[in-house]
Amino acid sequence: MPGGISGPLELFICYNKQLVAGRLPGAHRKGTDMITPRRSTDRGHIDHGWLDARHTFSFGNYMDPKFMAFRSLRVINEDLIAPRRGFGEHGHKDMEIITYPISGAIRHRDSLGHEEDVASGMIQVMSAGSGIRHAEISGGDEPVHLLQIWIEPRQAGLEPTHASASVPVHDEPGRLHRLVGSDADPEALAQGLMTIAQDASMSAGVFAPGDRETVKLGIDRHGWVQVVRGSLKVIGDQAGEKLSAGDGAAISGEESVELVFEDDTEIVFFELA
């Protein structure tokens, strides 16, 4: 195709075939009371040449019944996209889609009329709702490294929306920054956060060796931590797990966890109902 733009990938088609009236197997699989790691080396992997992707959960042609989702968190894809390549125009429906650039910039264009570059130091939130079409293309001469995150909405058929913003993750290190909250959460609305149509939030932070962060969840809440780079230990009431770059971990049955950072580290943290 002109400009090296790739058309809609089979992985999107495969996923949409699975997502029928919310009947994805394991889509709301309940966690047990523990910290359960998902190792980087165990993730699904595809390499299309222009796209090198790692899938934390089942996606496209990669299927693992044990890792369909965690609560409403459906997709964490770590994508490395070659310069001037990307996802040609394709459609989504009934999904909250978050793009977290790690390095480089992706050019976003959608059927709502938005067109912009979303770069490291920014975050993009798109509610697909009743239907939206978009394209995501690496516009520069360097590869783009990003996390693509999908969260299932509380209901189908909502109005599609798009938002993006600069975030202080790298400018203010040493703590988690809440970036995305629920559109039903008064605190998230008061803070002016970007919101999604689900009882979930997303935070991110960068930390130095020796930093510590306590995350309070509450007895009926769940967490997922995803390591972008570096390493840390996640410590709960009963046990702890060491995580390295690309690893993730499901957290259930813990009112709080302590994060102890061992290297220069960047993480994304989800709080889920």
Side-chain angles (χ1 to χ4, degrees), residues 223-244:
W224 183 280
V225 58
Q226 188 69 30
V227 186
V228 176
R229 57 184 173 91
S231 64
L232 73 152
K233 191 169 186 180
V234 183
I235 303 172
D237 289 338
Q238 303 299 324
E241 290 285 347
K242 181 174 179 177
L243 304 177
S244 299

Side-chain angles (χ1 to χ4, degrees), residues 10-273:
E10 183 181 359
L11 57 88
F12 290 105
I13 298 171
C14 291
Y15 178 79
N16 288 333
K17 287 180 179 178
Q18 296 174 55
L19 187 57
V20 179
R23 292 196 294 269
L24 268 171
H28 294 284
R29 183 171 58 84
K30 293 183 181 295
T32 54
D33 293 353
M34 61 180 68
I35 300 169
T36 306
R38 171 63 156 156
R39 299 300 178 193
S40 176
T41 52
D42 294 333
R43 294 180 294 176
H45 179 223
I46 60 167
D47 189 347
H48 291 289
W50 65 271
L51 171 67
D52 190 350
R54 306 277 176 175
H55 305 318
T56 294
F57 303 111
S58 296
F59 189 87
N61 290 329
Y62 169 65
M63 180 67 66
D64 184 342
K66 299 187 298 297
F67 287 94
M68 294 301 299
F70 180 68
R71 315 302 295 181
S72 60
L73 182 58
R74 178 60 187 84
V75 167
I76 303 176
N77 289 347
E78 183 179 354
D79 294 343
L80 187 64
I81 304 168
R84 305 193 184 283
R85 302 294 298 271
F87 302 96
E89 185 175 307
H90 59 279
H92 293 282
K93 187 176 181 181
D94 296 328
M95 195 64 66
E96 308 297 285
I97 301 171
I98 302 171
T99 302
Y100 183 86
I102 300 168
S103 63
I106 195 84
R107 169 58 59 93
H108 168 90
R109 184 182 70 250
D110 66 42
S111 55
L112 300 179
H114 302 103
E115 185 168 354
E116 64 176 342
D117 289 331
V118 184
S120 176
M122 298 178 65
I123 190 172
Q124 175 181 264
V125 178
M126 187 172 68
S127 292
S130 58
I132 193 169
R133 298 188 64 79
H134 76 140
E136 305 280 351
I137 309 298
S138 171
D141 296 325
E142 299 295 328
V144 176
H145 189 193
L146 58 80
L147 295 182
Q148 188 75 207
I149 297 148
W150 294 7
I151 295 175
E152 294 175 318
R154 73 170 66 90
Q155 68 183 76
L158 297 170
E159 180 181 357
T161 63
H162 168 277
S164 64
S166 298
V167 295
V169 173
H170 296 279
D171 294 335
E172 300 176 19
R175 69 181 184 93
L176 280 174
H177 296 267
R178 194 175 181 215
L179 306 179
V180 180
S182 169
D183 62 359
D185 179 2
E187 183 178 343
L189 296 174
Q191 292 175 351
L193 299 182
M194 287 180 289
T195 59
I196 56 174
Q198 181 53 271
D199 185 4
S201 68
M202 173 181 154
S203 303
V206 296
F207 299 87
D211 283 350
R212 305 172 81 97
E213 177 93 1
T214 299
V215 181
K216 296 180 179 180
L217 290 171
I219 194 63
D220 295 324
R221 306 291 290 183
H222 305 261
W224 183 280
V225 58
Q226 188 69 30
V227 186
V228 176
R229 57 184 173 91
S231 64
L232 73 152
K233 191 169 186 180
V234 183
I235 303 172
D237 289 338
Q238 303 299 324
E241 290 285 347
K242 181 174 179 177
L243 304 177
S244 299
D247 290 349
I251 303 165
S252 291
E254 302 279 359
E255 292 194 45
S256 66
V257 291
E258 186 171 19
L259 311 178
V260 181
F261 298 91
E262 301 179 346
D263 299 298
D264 291 323
T265 301
E266 181 174 1
I267 66 167
V268 175
F269 194 98
F270 301 90
E271 183 184 338
L272 307 158

